Amino acid sequence: MKKGCVSALLTWLDDVLPGRIRLYAVGFERLMVENYRFVSELSQNRIVLEGSDGNVLIEGNGLGISEMRKGALIVTGAVACVAFQRRRLDG
């Protein structure tokens, strides 16, 4: 893949999925998360992040948050599983 292709794909995702939680993985021990609203659960084995349309559940060992900024954070530790839980719309 050419160098500019990745940048173009990420821009395309912004257009299609504005405001949705995005995860960028670097190996098994680092995740950058964007567009979360707040952290609803935090332990060494489980982190739950609330988003605009659901949650992201991160499970593993020795989990923690190494850096946090408005709308973005970095999860470190041995990540074993990432699951998306879409919020049900009643109505």
Side-chain angles (χ1 to χ4, degrees), residues 21 23 28-34 36-51 54-68 72-85:
I21 290 180
L23 296 154
F28 294 99
E29 297 188 359
R30 194 172 184 95
L31 288 174
M32 185 173 86
V33 182
E34 292 181 336
Y36 74 97
R37 288 188 175 177
F38 59 91
V39 178
S40 62
E41 188 175 335
L42 176 63
S43 73
Q44 289 188 347
N45 299 315
R46 181 178 165 115
I47 297 175
V48 179
L49 305 170
E50 301 281 335
N55 304 337
V56 172
L57 167 65
I58 303 165
E59 294 181 327
N61 295 307
L63 299 177
I65 296 174
S66 66
E67 189 174 330
M68 184 181 271
L73 57 78
I74 296 175
V75 174
T76 57
V79 176
C81 177
V82 176
F84 295 90
Q85 300 170 327

Side-chain angles (χ1 to χ4, degrees), residues 1-16 22:
M1 183 178 284
K2 292 182 181 178
K3 189 176 183 179
C5 291
V6 173
S7 177
L9 288 172
L10 293 177
T11 301
W12 177 77
L13 287 174
D14 272 344
D15 293 342
V16 175
R22 283 182 285 191

